[in-house]
Amino acid sequence: MKSLNPEQQAAVKQIERPLLVLAGAGSGKTRVITEKIAYLVKQGLPARHIAALTFTNKAAREMQSRVSKLLNGTQSRGLRVSTFHSLGLDILRKEHKALGYKAAITLFDEYDKVTVLKSLLTQQAGDYDTKQVEQFAAKIGQWKNAFITPEQAIALAIYPIEAQIYVDYTRCLHAYNAVDFDDLILKPVLLFQNHAEILTKWQHRIRYLLVDEYQDTNLTQYQLVKLLVGTTLAKFTVVGDDDQSIYAWRGAQPENLAQLQHDFPRLEVIKLEQNYRSTGRILKVANHLIANNPHVFEKRLWSQLEHGEPLRVLAHRNEEIEAVACVSEIMHHKLMNGSSYKDFAILYRGNHQSRLIEQVLRERNVPYFISGGTSFFSYAEVKDVLSYLRLLANHDDDAAFLRIVNTPRREIGATTLEKLGSYARERQISLFAACGEIGLSARLNQAPRLRLQQFHDWILQRAAQLNVATNKIEVINELLEQIGYSAYLREDSNTKETAERRMKNVQELLAWLERLIERNSSDGEDFSLTDLVAKVMLLDVLERNREDEVNDEVSLMTLHAAKGLEFPHVFLIGMEEKILPHQNSIDNDSIEEERRLAYVGITRAQRTCTLSYCTHRKQRGVNEECEPSRFLAELPEDDLHWAAKKPLSAEVKKNNKNSFFAGAKSLLSEE
């Protein structure tokens, strides 16, 4: 630990008291966590009794990799480094009996969640509004993240319709032996509260807990942490930065940092303020910006690196010019300084801002990668087709069954599926197998029972046909025609263009599957349906891990996706009112989180940071005037360089609200 600074060493060695490490951007927090794990093991605590939690699989893999360099295989045996949700899923699978679940719990994604809600609304009201379904889905997620159970939601009676849907939705999921993403935290907390012996077992298993990005925890995650560490010994270290809390929209509560002092009076607080990433000037600008937010814990980043160049501000007449200018700057810098494309990142507030940048990058043959973009395998229509293949290959795949049993609609509603799920759970068999059992007739009326039987028999016939077919894609095409999938997409899409795009994705998937079959059948061996599905699911996993690859590409990403990353050169575009800060934040008077977003963007930069905005931007087909972001007016003028090489006049600076807008118009008039 000799290379750690004094504050980092103190954070590593403090193992007797609960500890909060306030770790500023680029201050080496991941290293502190991994060094502390090694320190705990070398102090005699077996690795199997240590758990480190974070929020992304990528962060967990990086942490695990770093620990493996500090401990040998024997020393690290049993160490848990995972996401909160992975731990929750592990708890549920090990303790499923106490919750009344079968062993093979199905995990629902957002699409599965919406599908169940649509069915419930159809059952209750005869129809549903897509926007209303999305609102219900969001509200249920908010309740779960705020540690509000269905019963409590009913008691609150503020949103009686949503609360009843929450109750029905929860009942359906249990009948399907399924949980959704938010249940992975909520259900373990309820389990521990209701089963003291199970909580004691897990507290004995996890004797020291480390939590990364603690400012991103929601109320339910905080409850989970409190239960696991207990109130007596409370052996834990949480690492966080309230200045980088940018996930309020998904329930994150930076207040959880301050709450620790109330719940754990013995809490020690250590600040990591030395930054190892950015130049002094970048940090000065970032500190100046974030100082406009109120703070429970004061801290100020500093660096021993060079002072560095001023941050440049580029003003453009419109977003097309902005895109061309940013790409041209990157190409010029690469040519003049011998940089690599991977040294550059273009950051923005919303995904829609990447379209023009992508267009210019393609025109200039500049390689790029969109981090956090939608995976091809994430499209609903692609998931539908793959779920049909999964069920055809494995009849016991409950998740695939639930996705397609009523897609397109077969008049198999939520009540029918709930009764089917209860029967299957009692019989300890899959949902598909339950459809074919005579005993189901005692639970269901003849009409729904017959519809399930017909679906069951049809799947068996198609599976048999596919397994012997020489041209499997032809059979899959026939299957999609038989169920009227193209017509279903037209009905399910808001516009004709959307339906056509979704069908094109299906055709692209089938063409890709055909190539996959050809490549894997070239040696003359038969490529079975099971082999095909296994290969597809593996490729899905590989695509999801695409962000781990480091190629010579310019990185494009939202400010949310950029958190935790760093680049030598950063372009932050769209620094305008209504974009950053976003219009919703302006309307809701929640500017503080938007300021933290800008802070995160600036502190991603190691050597140079360029801030860009437009005086005009096309909105709904109309070219409208834009006002520069108020955050630009909060930056220290002496550390900014305006590309037009003309500083703003003292008169313009008087009015913060309009200074940059007026100055930009003056500068652009000289072009």
Side-chain angles (χ1 to χ4, degrees):
M1 292 194 295
K2 290 181 180 179
S3 60
L4 299 180
N5 66 40
E7 292 76 20
Q8 289 174 329
Q9 288 193 33
V12 168
K13 291 181 178 179
Q14 177 53 270
I15 59 176
E16 296 303 323
R17 296 173 61 182
L19 176 64
L20 165 61
V21 180
L22 283 170
S27 61
K29 65 180 179 61
T30 304
R31 187 174 179 199
V32 167
I33 293 173
T34 53
E35 289 280 1
K36 187 154 194 171
I37 291 171
Y39 183 76
L40 286 164
V41 171
K42 290 168 183 176
Q43 291 297 306
L45 181 63
R48 67 179 181 276
H49 293 309
I50 301 172
L53 302 180
T54 187
F55 282 85
T56 68
N57 289 318
K58 183 178 180 180
R61 287 194 297 270
E62 180 186 352
M63 204 178 290
Q64 184 77 61
S65 174
R66 291 198 191 188
V67 171
S68 66
K69 295 173 183 176
L70 300 174
L71 299 172
N72 62 41
T74 302
Q75 290 174 314
S76 62
R77 186 174 297 136
L79 173 68
R80 178 189 296 277
V81 180
S82 73
T83 64
F84 267 95
H85 293 89
S86 292
L87 171 63
L89 183 59
D90 193 30
I91 292 170
L92 293 184
R93 283 176 171 162
K94 285 183 168 61
E95 312 296 345
H96 64 273
K97 289 182 180 178
L99 289 165
Y101 277 81
K102 291 189 297 182
I105 295 176
T106 297
L107 179 60
F108 270 25
D109 63 15
E110 196 63 23
Y111 181 90
D112 299 324
K113 177 180 180 179
V114 168
T115 300
V116 174
L117 291 174
K118 284 180 179 178
S119 180
L120 288 171
L121 284 169
T122 301
Q123 178 182 311
Q124 288 193 10
D127 200 0
Y128 59 83
D129 176 77
T130 301
K131 190 173 182 181
Q132 186 183 33
V133 174
E134 292 171 354
Q135 290 172 343
F136 281 7
K139 189 64 188 176
I140 289 171
Q142 290 167 8
W143 273 327
K144 290 185 179 183
N145 289 332
F147 196 49
I148 296 174
T149 64
E151 295 74 24
Q152 289 169 331
I154 287 286
L156 290 172
I158 300 173
Y159 304 99
I161 299 174
E162 290 95 327
Q164 187 56 53
I165 290 291
Y166 183 18
V167 171
D168 296 341
Y169 171 73
T170 302
R171 193 180 66 245
C172 282
L173 255 63
H174 191 265
Y176 302 159
N177 204 61
V179 294
D180 64 22
F181 196 65
D182 298 316
D183 283 329
L184 296 179
I185 309 298
L186 177 63
K187 287 194 178 297
V189 171
L190 296 173
L191 173 77
F192 288 156
Q193 287 184 337
N194 296 323
H195 298 271
E197 72 287 358
I198 294 178
L199 173 59
T200 301
K201 180 175 70 175
W202 281 89
Q203 288 176 335
H204 181 73
R205 184 174 296 174
I206 300 176
R207 299 181 190 175
Y208 201 97
L209 182 67
L210 302 102
V211 181
D212 190 16
E213 304 287 8
Y214 192 72
Q215 76 282 346
D216 292 337
T217 56
N218 58 43
L219 186 57
T220 310
Q221 287 164 332
Y222 184 40
Q223 295 297 322
L224 180 62
V225 169
K226 281 206 302 181
L227 285 164
L228 283 171
V229 301
T231 54
T232 306
L233 296 176
K235 295 205 169 185
F236 68 82
T237 294
V238 300
V239 182
D241 180 7
D242 51 348
D243 289 334
Q244 296 188 75
S245 180
I246 56 175
Y247 294 109
W249 50 275
R250 70 181 189 196
Q253 293 197 162
E255 298 86 356
N256 286 346
L257 290 165
Q259 187 63 36
L260 286 167
Q261 292 182 312
H262 297 285
D263 293 339
F264 302 96
R266 295 176 60 245
L267 182 78
E268 182 172 347
V269 179
I270 295 176
K271 299 178 184 179
L272 303 184
E273 297 172 294
Q274 182 176 358
N275 176 285
Y276 294 91
R277 171 190 300 158
S278 307
T279 64
R281 199 162 220 154
I282 289 171
L283 296 180
K284 179 185 174 184
V285 170
N287 285 331
H288 210 278
L289 173 67
I290 205 64
N292 290 279
N293 273 5
H295 289 84
V296 175
F297 304 101
E298 293 291 340
K299 68 177 184 308
R300 192 169 184 83
L301 295 179
W302 61 276
S303 173
Q304 290 183 337
L305 302 177
E306 62 181 350
H307 190 52
E309 303 174 16
L311 282 71
R312 293 192 313 145
V313 181
L314 305 180
H316 308 286
R317 283 201 182 98
N318 56 49
E319 62 268 41
E320 287 88 356
I321 295 174
E322 179 183 54
V324 171
C326 287
V327 174
S328 298
E329 289 270 345
I330 290 173
M331 296 178 72
H332 177 74
H333 192 288
K334 182 178 185 296
L335 179 66
M336 299 302 293
N337 299 283
S339 312
S340 300
Y341 283 125
K342 65 184 178 183
D343 294 337
F344 299 90
I346 301 176
L347 310 181
Y348 35 81
R349 178 63 176 84
N351 281 309
H352 68 279
Q353 292 172 260
S354 72
R355 184 180 58 82
L356 287 172
I357 297 287
E358 288 183 74
Q359 183 178 316
V360 177
L361 288 167
R362 286 195 298 268
E363 289 171 357
R364 305 290 177 89
N365 293 316
V366 175
Y368 68 92
F369 171 58
I370 300 183
S371 178
T374 303
S375 161
F376 179 72
F377 293 101
S378 296
Y379 289 116
E381 57 275 12
V382 172
K383 283 189 170 186
D384 286 344
V385 176
L386 291 180
S387 292
Y388 269 99
L389 296 183
R390 283 167 51 190
L391 189 62
L392 288 165
N394 175 16
H395 302 328
D396 293 331
D397 190 331
D398 281 353
F401 175 91
L402 287 169
R403 185 178 187 94
I404 65 170
V405 67
N406 208 34
T407 304
R409 292 187 188 179
R410 296 184 174 88
E411 296 182 43
I412 299 172
T415 301
T416 297
L417 291 174
E418 184 182 347
K419 292 178 179 177
L420 174 69
S422 298
Y423 176 80
R425 191 171 68 251
E426 290 172 16
R427 294 273 295 122
Q428 292 290 301
I429 57 177
S430 70
L431 295 169
F432 182 83
C435 291
E437 290 209 345
I438 298 174
L440 187 60
S441 57
R443 304 290 182 89
L444 290 172
N445 293 330
Q446 185 176 1
R449 167 76 183 86
L450 184 59
R451 284 193 284 270
L452 287 174
Q453 182 70 56
Q454 287 172 339
F455 177 73
H456 172 272
D457 295 345
W458 179 77
I459 287 291
L460 289 178
Q461 292 167 9
R462 295 288 79 77
Q465 185 183 1
L466 257 175
N467 280 322
V468 299
T470 53
N471 189 335
K472 289 181 170 53
I473 300 303
E474 187 177 308
V475 176
I476 296 170
N477 262 315
E478 290 174 359
L479 181 152
L480 294 176
E481 287 179 17
Q482 193 171 14
I483 64 175
Y485 193 72
S486 180
Y488 162 74
L489 288 182
R490 288 194 295 273
E491 293 172 8
D492 194 57
S493 303
N494 294 326
T495 66
K496 180 182 177 182
E497 291 73 21
T498 301
E500 289 174 350
R501 176 184 55 77
R502 295 178 68 185
M503 198 60 213
K504 186 176 180 182
N505 284 339
V506 172
Q507 292 163 354
E508 185 179 335
L509 172 65
L510 295 180
W512 177 73
L513 290 173
E514 189 167 21
R515 292 193 297 272
L516 196 63
I517 292 171
E518 288 173 357
R519 283 199 303 270
N520 287 275
S521 302
S522 57
D523 56 4
E525 292 185 15
D526 180 49
F527 194 58
S528 70
L529 177 61
T530 303
D531 294 332
L532 176 63
V533 171
K535 182 73 75 172
V536 170
M537 300 316 291
L538 175 60
L539 288 170
D540 182 9
V541 171
L542 292 176
E543 178 163 316
R544 291 174 193 275
N545 294 339
R546 167 75 167 85
E547 291 185 20
D548 290 342
E549 297 179 16
V550 180
N551 297 316
D552 192 21
E553 302 168 319
V554 176
S555 292
L556 273 60
M557 65 187 74
T558 64
L559 288 164
H560 286 98
K563 187 161 166 287
L565 303 178
E566 58 186 42
F567 303 91
H569 311 287
V570 166
F571 287 77
L572 180 46
I573 66 172
M575 289 286 288
E576 301 148 33
E577 291 290 301
K578 301 183 181 180
I579 294 182
L580 185 65
H582 194 275
Q583 181 66 61
N584 290 343
S585 299
I586 297 172
D587 294 341
N588 299 327
D589 195 24
S590 54
I591 299 298
E592 291 173 15
E593 178 153 333
E594 295 292 300
R595 188 176 286 111
R596 292 195 290 267
L597 266 176
Y599 173 83
V600 165
I602 292 170
T603 54
R604 298 313 93 195
Q606 295 171 303
R607 297 203 294 273
T608 71
C609 183
T610 302
L611 309 172
S612 170
Y613 70 95
C614 301
T615 58
H616 294 78
R617 189 176 291 270
K618 194 169 288 187
Q619 304 283 354
R620 297 172 294 279
V622 179
N623 209 29
E624 298 181 356
E625 277 195 338
C626 304
E627 184 177 338
S629 171
R630 68 190 70 188
F631 302 145
L632 287 172
E634 295 174 357
L635 304 182
E637 186 65 32
D638 292 344
D639 296 287
L640 302 181
H641 171 71
W642 290 75
K645 297 182 176 62
K646 180 179 177 182
L648 297 177
S649 67
E651 184 179 349
V652 166
K653 290 181 186 177
K654 282 182 183 178
N655 188 339
N656 256 5
K657 183 176 180 183
N658 297 313
S659 63
F660 285 84
F661 186 46
K665 283 205 272 191
S666 171
L667 294 173
L668 290 172
S669 65
E670 300 177 359
E671 290 186 358

